[in-house]
Amino acid sequence: MDVYILDSNLRRTEIVESYESMIWTERYYGFGDFQLDIDPSLAERDLFTQGTPISLNLSERIMLVDTAQIAHNADGKKILTVKGKSLEAVLNQRPNQYSFYDGTPVTEQAWGAGSQGSGTPGDIIRWLLDTYTRLNTWIPADNLPFLVAGTVNSTAGAIAEFSEEVALRANMDTLYNSVKNIAEVYRLGVRLVWREGKDVLGGANPSKLYWEVYTGWDRTTGQHVNDPVVFSESLDNLTDTVELTSTAGWKNMAYVTHPEQTRIVYASGIDPSIAGFDRKVLIVDASDISGLTGTPLAMAMDQRGREELAKNDIAIGFDGKIAQNGTYVYGTHYKLGDLVEQRSSSGVITNMTVTEQIFASDETGEQSYPTLSYLSTTTPGTWYSIAAGKVWYDYTSEVWATV
């Protein structure tokens, strides 16, 4: 794993050699971070400077140094510890509103280019990023250098984004909190991708940064397009598994109330005909939503219901240790945002989203492994799985609806 120091034009100028250890973590929803331990007598002077850009040969992202500390380790040796965050953290230094720029009192503000701030969640995030970090005319100094329009990574064939329009409104906050909240509810990744500039005949091709709102690929065994990625004890790439399932706090539908109307919102995948003891109702007070009527109000209430239901999902505890030098290679077999499978020894299949990728290097060698977050579970004997005790060749003309 090669670590590089970049210059002010985001070009690699020096390679960091002879470091003691390095941990580089990239995240699907939020900013990443790194820690580099190195002998201070061998460290390049730039590593002591806050704001120095750092890159990794295995990554498309840039991180900035924000902390440098020299201390003795357990062996009494002096070590320079350098830490920092990825460029996405700059959203913590940007507001999510513009009304205060001209002295207007800050109020709840609608987002998006559509009518009264409506749009798909992905498009609203794109609008926020574009409006406040690339095309900001209220305070142009808030715009980011090197940032250009467009994307560089194809999302063709990826998991579809939530396609319904929503009406999102928020009070004054950081742009980071606002974007991350939307991304987590609708399972969207947000990253700032770097493309290094190069000298070309007759001039220079400057470095570029691209905001990308993206999703991963379905790599479960429930699809037949992409090669599946399965973590299981039987495959020797998952150990020390722990299983726990609880519906104690689960809600599958919400009654969203407002002085002007009431809305019924169902959790993802729940049939509106659900009845009796199967109805797990959450009461949501949306009376604080103001300035909207009719359809825009209904959209805002539906959004509030989805957010609250997301906080009251089924608690699934199925986890394990992923082999650090296992079956799958990051960037080849899976990427951030991909949907993969974990399988327990009892046959429970849990669909998980890759939300972190960790690169580590120390005296024991180089390692790369993911962090997985729960999405859904399939239990043997349910409609979603083959019936217990049967195999595929037992079936002839049956279809899923009758199995």
Side-chain angles (χ1 to χ4, degrees):
M1 297 181 188
D2 297 329
V3 180
Y4 294 94
I5 296 175
L6 311 183
D7 62 15
S8 59
N9 291 314
L10 301 187
R11 299 185 183 187
R12 289 174 287 186
T13 58
E14 298 179 75
I15 188 170
V16 179
E17 298 181 298
S18 303
Y19 56 80
E20 300 279 334
S21 65
M22 185 272 298
I23 299 178
W24 179 288
T25 303
E26 300 183 356
R27 296 185 173 89
Y28 185 54
Y29 296 123
F31 61 78
D33 48 54
F34 81 96
Q35 176 175 320
L36 185 70
D37 291 340
I38 189 169
D39 185 331
S41 64
L42 301 176
E44 290 79 359
R45 178 54 51 182
D46 287 337
L47 287 176
F48 294 84
T49 305
Q50 282 71 30
T52 296
I54 304 292
S55 71
L56 186 70
N57 65 313
L58 302 177
S59 176
E60 296 181 308
R61 305 199 197 185
I62 291 175
M63 303 211 188
L64 300 180
V65 173
D66 60 22
T67 304
Q69 173 184 295
I70 297 179
H72 291 86
N73 63 11
D75 298 325
K77 181 180 179 180
K78 273 190 174 181
I79 293 292
L80 168 65
T81 298
V82 180
K83 299 179 181 180
K85 302 179 183 66
S86 62
L87 292 183
E88 293 87 359
V90 72
L91 299 181
N92 266 322
Q93 283 77 50
R94 297 295 186 273
N96 68 345
Q97 294 197 13
Y98 55 80
S99 60
F100 73 97
Y101 285 126
D102 58 5
T104 304
V106 174
T107 58
E108 190 178 57
Q109 185 172 307
W111 291 328
S115 60
Q116 297 201 48
S118 64
T120 67
D123 285 345
I124 288 177
I125 293 178
R126 294 181 182 95
W127 181 87
L128 285 168
L129 296 172
D130 225 28
T131 299
Y132 292 106
T133 67
R134 191 175 72 86
L135 303 174
N136 192 327
T137 57
W138 302 283
I139 298 184
D142 274 358
N143 289 319
L144 301 180
F146 307 105
L147 187 59
V148 297
T151 62
V152 294
N153 294 294
S154 171
T155 58
I159 298 169
E161 291 185 14
F162 186 85
S163 59
E164 294 181 21
E165 287 201 352
V166 296
L168 301 182
R169 301 166 65 86
N171 290 311
M172 187 75 172
D173 200 350
T174 66
L175 190 54
Y176 179 80
N177 287 341
S178 299
V179 167
K180 189 168 184 287
N181 288 341
I182 302 171
E184 288 182 331
V185 170
Y186 294 99
R187 299 190 175 101
L188 299 172
V190 180
R191 62 190 172 197
L192 193 53
V193 176
W194 165 60
R195 285 295 179 266
E196 183 179 10
K198 300 184 181 297
D199 292 323
V200 295
L201 184 64
N205 180 23
S207 297
K208 296 181 176 66
L209 297 174
Y210 301 82
W211 279 118
E212 291 188 340
V213 180
Y214 66 105
T215 59
W217 297 71
D218 187 346
R219 301 191 185 276
T220 66
T221 56
Q223 52 78 45
H224 307 285
V225 177
N226 306 306
D227 291 338
V229 174
V230 180
F231 295 100
S232 170
E233 289 179 309
S234 63
L235 298 176
D236 295 326
N237 56 21
L238 186 68
T239 62
D240 300 337
T241 59
V242 178
E243 300 177 43
L244 172 67
T245 303
S246 174
T247 59
W250 179 44
K251 306 295 183 182
N252 55 26
M253 58 182 298
Y255 293 156
V256 187
T257 64
H258 188 277
E260 292 193 20
Q261 58 177 290
T262 298
R263 303 285 294 175
I264 300 177
V265 180
Y266 295 91
S268 177
I270 298 300
D271 192 318
S273 65
I274 190 169
F277 289 113
D278 292 331
R279 291 170 73 88
K280 313 293 184 181
V281 178
L282 178 68
I283 307 300
V284 178
D285 180 8
S287 59
D288 60 319
I289 297 177
S290 60
L292 296 176
T293 59
T295 299
L297 174 60
M299 294 172 66
M301 293 173 66
D302 289 350
Q303 166 65 14
R304 178 69 61 82
R306 294 188 193 100
E307 291 175 353
E308 295 304 314
L309 286 171
K311 300 174 185 177
N312 292 270
D313 206 345
I314 297 175
I316 298 292
F318 173 32
D319 202 1
K321 293 182 180 178
I322 294 173
Q324 296 177 344
N325 296 298
T327 314
Y328 305 110
V329 176
Y330 178 71
T332 301
H333 301 105
Y334 70 92
K335 295 181 180 180
L336 286 176
D338 283 0
L339 189 62
V340 300
E341 280 187 15
Q342 276 192 351
R343 293 186 181 181
S344 73
S345 57
S346 60
V348 174
I349 299 174
T350 305
N351 293 337
M352 309 286 278
T353 300
V354 181
T355 54
E356 285 186 347
Q357 182 65 26
I358 300 170
F359 303 94
S361 179
D362 56 25
E363 69 276 3
T364 64
E366 296 184 348
Q367 303 167 353
S368 177
Y369 49 95
T371 298
L372 309 180
S373 298
Y374 164 73
L375 181 63
S376 65
T377 295
T378 300
T379 303
T382 65
W383 186 92
Y384 299 99
S385 65
I386 189 169
K390 302 196 76 173
V391 291
W392 281 115
Y393 59 71
D394 290 332
Y395 295 105
T396 53
S397 61
E398 289 91 339
V399 295
W400 277 116
T402 58
V403 172

